[in-house]
Amino acid sequence: MDDPIGQAARQIEESRKGVPQIRAFFDDATNTVSYVVHDPETRRTAIIDSVLDYDAAAGRITYTSADAILAYVGEQQLTVEWLLETHAHADHLSAAPYLQERLGGKLAIGKAILTVQETFGKLFNEGTAFARDGSQFDHLFEDGDRFMIGNLAATVLHVPGHTPADLAYVIGDAAFIGDTLFMPDYGTARADFPGGDARTLFRSIRRLLTLPAETRLFLCHDYRAPDRDDYRWETTVAEQRASNVHVHDGIDEDGFVAMREARDATLDMPKLILPSIQVNMRGGHLPEPEGNGTRYLKIPLDAL
């Protein structure tokens, strides 16, 4: 039996007649890219890494980004089967429950979300009412799991390092790789969040880069390199191996770890990490209202 990477590579080789249709939605406020991926034959669909708009200063939630996805799904007459999260994001709130209520589909993430829930459950001093068993999601994927989106084959790869629970979804000839890699001129994800590890990230990235050279890689973020004026979020395995500034072929593990740890030490925490993780570890569900009918997010002091 093939290992998960072998399964994914064979899937890519066999997918010439089953290329997914992909529509990207870029959120300027968080530099996040969400994707609607559908099988052109059956119009069955997955939504990946959706965004709920959050005004931190006002504590106000709106739905402009999610409504754009809703409109597109309606216009294209798509049927949503999956709402997929690559990980518990630290830079935006997930809109998956909002979309699921209106479009259906199963909400899924990696099984290692249990580690994230345990770590951040303690950080936010959550009581016993907060389940740490992943039950906020409909499905928990493990490395090598396979599923279908209509007639499109999909393979799940566990790629930890940025967080313990990161997944890549290889769908047809395309891989949606979350925060492992950025565009080649920008580099790689940070690895200094609780549960992150630069050495593990390097190994996950190198694993992804053993996929066929022509594999299309779709990224969760773009922040624009200093000499680039436009936002980009699609690249290939070949391009990453040739020119990623942090992890191109020839960069060894120790060199990457030294670079990544030194760079991470200079970075501020993401502006929305505390509200984002607090919501996303719940599958995108907001905290329950308190006695006065208002929902509250906690801000632990001096904890990160």
Side-chain angles (χ1 to χ4, degrees):
M1 177 182 286
D2 283 342
D3 65 11
I5 282 287
Q7 290 178 4
R10 188 171 68 228
Q11 171 188 303
I12 291 164
E13 293 297 332
E14 294 173 349
S15 69
R16 306 307 176 205
K17 296 180 181 179
V19 176
Q21 296 295 302
I22 300 165
R23 171 72 155 83
F25 294 81
F26 184 75
D27 179 60
D28 292 276
T30 63
N31 294 85
T32 301
V33 192
S34 306
Y35 298 97
V36 177
V37 184
H38 79 264
D39 170 22
E41 183 175 348
T42 67
R43 310 200 72 75
R44 300 284 175 169
T45 304
I47 299 171
I48 303 175
D49 291 337
S50 59
V51 174
L52 189 68
D53 302 305
Y54 176 65
D55 180 345
R60 184 172 294 113
I61 289 169
T62 53
Y63 303 95
T64 303
S65 297
D67 285 343
I69 292 176
L70 277 177
Y72 176 78
V73 169
E75 290 164 3
Q76 297 296 314
Q77 299 182 316
L78 305 178
T79 300
V80 175
E81 293 192 324
W82 292 95
L83 299 111
L84 305 174
E85 299 288 348
T86 55
H87 61 295
H89 307 275
D91 40 43
H92 71 271
L93 281 64
S94 171
Y98 175 80
L99 292 170
Q100 185 180 42
E101 182 179 349
R102 289 154 180 80
L103 298 172
K106 294 181 180 180
L107 173 56
I109 200 168
K111 189 174 182 179
I113 189 65
L114 275 65
T115 301
V116 175
Q117 289 179 332
E118 185 63 31
T119 299
F120 284 93
K122 292 177 181 176
L123 178 69
F124 291 111
N125 195 32
E126 297 286 353
T128 56
F130 172 59
R132 295 161 172 82
D133 58 1
S135 58
Q136 300 87 347
F137 300 84
D138 299 311
H139 190 82
L140 302 180
F141 283 119
E142 298 191 61
D143 188 43
D145 281 351
R146 306 194 74 183
F147 64 102
M148 301 296 292
I149 303 168
N151 294 328
L152 293 173
T155 299
V156 177
L157 302 176
H158 185 211
V159 286
H162 173 61
T163 78
D166 283 65
L167 295 183
Y169 298 101
V170 183
I171 302 172
D173 69 336
F176 299 85
I177 61 173
D179 286 11
T180 51
L181 287 164
F182 299 134
M183 289 300 293
D185 58 0
Y186 201 87
T188 58
R190 65 194 297 167
D192 60 329
F193 297 153
D197 180 75
R199 196 168 298 277
T200 302
L201 177 62
F202 178 85
R203 294 172 184 176
S204 292
I205 289 170
R206 295 311 306 180
R207 187 178 187 225
L208 283 172
L209 296 184
T210 65
L211 290 170
E214 68 274 17
T215 305
R216 296 184 291 162
L217 303 180
F218 290 87
L219 316 179
C220 192
H221 296 286
D222 185 50
Y223 301 99
R224 291 193 308 201
D227 59 350
R228 177 158 49 86
D229 295 327
D230 59 330
Y231 290 107
R232 303 175 190 172
W233 44 78
E234 181 181 350
T235 177
T236 66
V237 166
E239 290 169 350
Q240 293 284 359
R241 293 188 65 159
S243 58
N244 186 287
V245 294
H246 293 167
V247 73
H248 60 76
D249 287 354
I251 300 291
D252 66 14
E253 183 173 314
D254 288 341
F256 174 83
V257 170
M259 177 282 301
R260 189 68 265 170
E261 290 182 346
R263 183 177 175 85
D264 288 350
T266 71
L267 300 177
D268 294 331
M269 283 288 113
K271 293 179 180 179
L272 296 183
I273 185 171
L274 293 173
S276 294
I277 295 291
Q278 202 169 159
V279 169
N280 294 337
M281 70 182 186
R282 291 177 161 87
H285 297 282
L286 301 174
E288 290 297 317
E290 297 193 6
N292 62 355
T294 300
R295 303 176 191 270
Y296 291 89
L297 293 170
K298 294 181 179 179
I299 304 297
L301 301 180
D302 301 320
L304 293 178

